[in-house]
Amino acid sequence: MRGTPTRRMIAVMALVPVVVAVALWAFAWPAARTAPHGLPVGVAGPAAAATALEEQLHRRGDAFEVHRLTDEAAAREAIGAREVYGALVASPSGPRLLTAPAAGPAVAQLLTAAAQSPDGPPVEVAEVVPLPAGDPRGSGFAASVLPLTLAGVAAGALVALTGLRGARAAGALAGAAALAGVTVAAMAHSWLGVLAGDWWQEAGALGLTTLAVGSAVAGLAALLGPRGIGLGGFLAVLLGNAFAGAAAAPELLPAPVGALGQWLPPGAGVSLVRSVSFFDGAGAGPAALALAAWVALGLAALALGARRRPGPAPAPKQPAAAAA
C-alpha cells in the first residue's frame, strides 16, 4: 500500500468497516431472509383430494412450485430423483407428508409446518431420505463446506506463491485436491458418519470441489498477481460459502443469490456431495458440470498467465578461465 503513513492509516480504518459490511451482507442477509421461493413440492392422490392439497400450498403465494404426481410410489420416486423436496399424499385417513431431510433439514422442517392445517387433523410425516445417524440435524454436513473451501483456496494460493507453472502447477492442484477429497471422506464418512453413500464417489466429489476452488484461485493469481488470490478467496469463501445453501436449500435463499450460489464451486460442491452421498447420484449432473467448468477455466487462466509472465531469465554464463 503506497502513500504516506497517515494515508495508509486512514485506508486501513476505512477498509475494515467495508469488509465487515460485505461479510454481514453475504452471511447475515440470506440467513435473515430465509424463506421458500419456488420450492419444488409434490402432491399426489385422488384428483379431488390432491386439488385441495395443491390449493393449500398455493395459498402461500410463490413459496412452492407444485408438481402433480399420481400416487405415493411416484412421489417417493420423485423425491429420490431430487425432482421435489417432499410430497403431500392424500389418503382415506388424511394427508401424509413425505420428506427428505438429507436434501436439507430446514426444508423438511418447513414442509412439516406448512402441511399442518390449523383446523385439520395432524399430518403423518414419513422420511423418505433421512439424514445419517451420525449427523441427525445435518449440522456436520453444513460445517464441512468451509474447511473444504479453505483447502481449495490454500492449494491455489500455494501454487501461485511457489511459482509453479504448466504441468507442475496442474499436477500440484490435482494431487492436493485428490488427497483433500480422500482425507475429508475418511473423516466425514468413516469417522464422523456425516456422509452415507459410496465412499469413493464421495471422495471424488469432495476432491473435484477442492480442485475447482484451487484452479480458480491459481488462475486468477496467474492473471492478476497476488490480488487474484484475494479475489479468488472472496468469491469462494465470502460469496461461495455464504450462498452454498448447505444448511438449507438454494430455494430458501433470497433471489438471486440462491441460484448464483449453485454456480460457484462451494454451492455446486454441496449439491454434488449431497447427490452422491444420499441420492445415489441423482441430480449430480449440473453440479458436476459447473465444477468441471471452473476447473477448465482456472487451468486455462493458469496457462495464459504463464505465457504472459515469462519465467526468470537464465543466469549468464561465466567467462572461461584464461589459459595458463
Side-chain angles (χ1 to χ4, degrees), residues 79 85-86 98-109 111-112 125-132 135-138 141 246-248 274 278-279:
I79 292 172
Y85 282 92
L98 306 179
T99 65
V107 177
Q109 295 171 6
L111 291 178
T112 301
V125 180
E127 295 183 352
V128 177
V129 188
L131 286 162
D135 189 26
R137 292 182 295 275
F141 180 87
R274 267 203 176 114
F278 306 122
F279 295 89

Side-chain angles (χ1 to χ4, degrees), residues 62-90:
D62 65 346
F64 300 108
E65 177 186 287
V66 181
H67 294 239
R68 200 67 175 265
L69 305 168
T70 55
D71 51 23
E72 182 171 337
R76 288 177 175 271
E77 184 178 349
I79 292 172
R82 301 202 71 183
E83 296 173 1
V84 296
Y85 282 92
L88 274 170
V89 180

